[in-house]
Amino acid sequence: MNAAVSESPHTVTVKNVPDTKIEHPCDIIVKITTTNICGSDLHMYEGRTSFETGRTLGHENRGQVMEVGSAVRKVQVGEYVVLPFNIACGFCKQCERGLTNYCLTMQPVLAFAGAAYGFADMGPYQGGQAELLRVPYGDFNALRLGEDAAERQTDYVMLSDIFPTGYHATEMAHVKPGDQTIVFGAGPVGQMAAYSALLKGAGRVWVADHQPDRLRKAEEIGAIPINTAEQNPAEVVKEATLGLGPDNGCECVGYQAHDAEGHEDASLTLNGLIDSVRFTGDIGVVGVFLPDDPGGAEAQGELEAQGKLPIDFGMMWFKGQHMGTGQAPVKRYNRALRDLIAGEKAKPSFVVSFPSPHVGSTHEERHPLHLPPAARSARTRPRLGQCAPGRAPGLAPAGFARALSVGDTSRHRLGHDARSASGCCPSLSRTAALTSP
């Protein structure tokens, strides 16, 4: 089968690899029909994680069940399913508490918790940017889809990561009906956080970014855009709330945040939220922050390379704020969010902004995977989401569709457009729908 394989930093090739197969009676094999490129994939692409060479990327997957293990009882061959990026067992202490994002069984390193497809430090599992994917504990991990699965695949694929991750940010921020909420970062996860807050009945939702296309997208769904190239987000929201600030906020950027000049500062969005959110307010952080960043010393500093950031903790303590962090436990939310999509109450595919032709050739030579000009202009530096008082963030694009053909034997190398692309969310920040024929 063909798969997108990480060869080295800045080099990903589509190459032929051995077909995946059942390895455990509880496994299922899924033919991937739609997958997303996440901002977390770009961390790995740029060498900013410990992702091993030779592994297949891709943790946002949707497809059709092709084979089931002998112990599988619920999922059936032929069904369409969407797969949480978390790989979980369903029976360990963490899974029993609903914390499938920190499963103990599937993570082979005893000192760690949590597993995922094609993801650094989250187990040896191959990713789904491939023709086939092995899904451990298929009955537990696969969410079955209804009769509209094929026609609404760009909506349902968002249940693998981006939609639940944005929703998780609002859960950790305790967004309630009537609340006033600020979201830092208008990439796809930031869009999903704003969308989720509005679905929950938030009275006003601000989205801070300096990319005009993203801000237009946020405004289309009913959020209030703040162009951080022109305004200080904290000042804007305080002026609108009698000087108090919003009830809560969401961080949807992560450790590769950049200022307007393109300089990385992992503390930008965190400090922006501490400044913006009112006393005793809540902050939900779903942007990726890591304890070990191989490129962090050069890009930022020695402390940042170890995940140690200069955040305004004194102000946070003084204001009595609460902060929730970590990857989303997708299974906690994906069934309810699926039913909102099925009931036409939610359409997360609004972040997929345009289609583009298949990438592929019938010959063996390596060649750049070029993006159309519209995508290229939307993806230049500065990178993902930064927003600190008086400084502008550079976030991932609001989303774009990218078709990737994996049905041939050619090899592809991502070009400079991907190198300068933004994307720094758990899941998630930049999302591109990759649909096989």
Side-chain angles (χ1 to χ4, degrees):
M1 67 177 188
N2 287 314
V5 176
S6 175
E7 300 283 15
S8 64
H10 313 302
T11 303
V12 174
T13 62
V14 175
K15 60 189 298 185
N16 191 266
V17 300
D19 285 351
T20 190
K21 61 183 180 180
I22 298 288
E23 298 179 15
H24 183 277
C26 293
D27 289 349
I28 65 174
I29 302 298
V30 174
K31 176 184 177 181
I32 297 299
T33 57
T34 314
T35 184
N36 291 339
I37 293 175
C38 178
S40 299
D41 292 325
L42 294 184
H43 295 314
M44 293 179 276
Y45 171 75
E46 294 185 337
R48 298 295 293 273
T49 69
S50 57
F51 193 65
E52 308 94 327
T53 60
R55 283 184 64 193
T56 301
L57 293 160
H59 58 270
E60 302 190 28
N61 306 305
R62 193 213 78 129
Q64 189 173 25
V65 179
M66 304 301 290
E67 185 180 355
V68 301
S70 60
V72 174
R73 295 292 178 267
K74 179 180 70 173
V75 176
Q76 299 179 19
V77 171
E79 289 184 316
Y80 282 96
V81 295
V82 63
L83 308 166
F85 75 88
N86 322 115
I87 304 175
C89 68
F91 53 77
C92 72
K93 180 178 181 178
Q94 298 285 58
C95 286
E96 286 181 352
R97 297 167 61 199
L99 300 174
T100 54
N101 48 335
Y102 293 109
C103 177
L104 301 173
T105 305
M106 305 310 293
Q107 170 55 257
V109 179
L110 293 179
F112 292 0
Y117 304 99
F119 208 104
D121 295 323
M122 300 194 72
Y125 310 100
Q126 299 296 335
Q129 290 173 20
E131 293 182 282
L132 300 171
L133 178 68
R134 169 183 167 252
V135 179
Y137 295 103
D139 275 339
F140 182 70
N141 286 303
L143 178 68
R144 296 181 294 175
L145 302 174
E147 295 179 354
D148 60 348
E151 63 188 79
R152 303 187 65 183
Q153 57 185 315
T154 53
D155 283 315
Y156 287 122
V157 71
M158 304 303 172
L159 295 172
S160 60
D161 181 351
I162 175 179
F163 195 7
T165 291
Y167 194 89
H168 185 53
T170 67
E171 284 286 286
M172 292 191 294
H174 300 115
V175 176
K176 303 177 297 301
D179 275 0
Q180 299 171 94
T181 302
I182 183 168
V183 177
F184 274 57
V189 171
Q191 300 280 349
M192 289 296 106
Y195 193 49
S196 297
L198 292 165
L199 286 172
K200 288 182 170 188
R204 284 189 291 183
V205 178
W206 291 271
V207 177
D209 201 313
H210 84 297
Q211 296 284 358
D213 60 329
R214 298 177 193 160
L215 293 173
R216 286 194 298 270
K217 184 65 66 174
E219 192 170 21
E220 287 175 9
I221 63 172
I224 304 167
I226 301 175
N227 189 332
T228 58
E230 302 170 355
Q231 297 174 297
N232 181 329
E235 292 178 359
V236 171
V237 294
K238 288 176 183 178
E239 183 178 354
T241 56
L242 302 177
L244 297 173
D247 300 285
N248 37 53
C250 300
E251 198 288 334
C252 300
V253 181
Y255 70 114
Q256 281 189 270
H258 286 64
D259 63 22
E261 290 73 41
H263 302 125
E264 282 195 15
D265 183 349
S267 63
L268 278 177
T269 48
L270 295 173
N271 288 335
L273 282 163
I274 290 169
D275 189 16
S276 299
V277 173
R278 68 177 59 197
F279 279 70
T280 72
D282 298 297
I283 298 169
V285 181
V286 293
V288 170
F289 291 87
L290 298 175
D292 181 26
D293 175 4
E298 180 180 356
Q300 299 187 45
E302 293 292 342
L303 287 178
E304 286 83 357
Q306 303 170 52
K308 298 175 181 178
L309 313 180
I311 68 168
D312 296 335
F313 185 75
M315 182 58 71
M316 179 181 170
W317 184 94
F318 181 68
K319 295 177 78 171
Q321 294 169 335
H322 298 81
M323 183 179 291
T325 68
Q327 293 181 332
V330 172
K331 279 185 62 66
R332 182 179 294 178
Y333 314 119
N334 66 352
R335 190 179 301 272
L337 296 178
R338 176 201 65 185
D339 293 345
L340 287 177
I341 293 172
E344 299 186 357
K345 303 298 183 183
K347 189 175 178 59
S349 64
F350 74 84
V351 298
V352 180
S353 54
F354 64 86
S356 63
H358 286 300
V359 177
S361 70
T362 58
H363 50 82
E364 291 289 338
E365 70 180 62
R366 298 170 66 137
H367 63 283
L369 184 156
H370 293 293
L371 293 176
R376 204 171 294 128
S377 62
R379 297 175 61 206
T380 53
R381 286 181 109 106
R383 236 181 235 89
L384 269 158
Q386 341 166 164
C387 304
R391 302 170 82 174
L395 307 176
F400 59 89
R402 181 77 196 169
L404 172 64
S405 170
V406 294
D408 59 42
T409 59
S410 58
R411 294 158 60 89
H412 306 281
R413 177 173 56 81
L414 291 176
H416 291 294
D417 290 325
R419 171 63 185 92
S420 62
S422 27
C424 297
C425 283
S427 57
L428 19 91
S429 49
R430 177 182 58 79
T431 304
L434 303 181
T435 309
S436 64

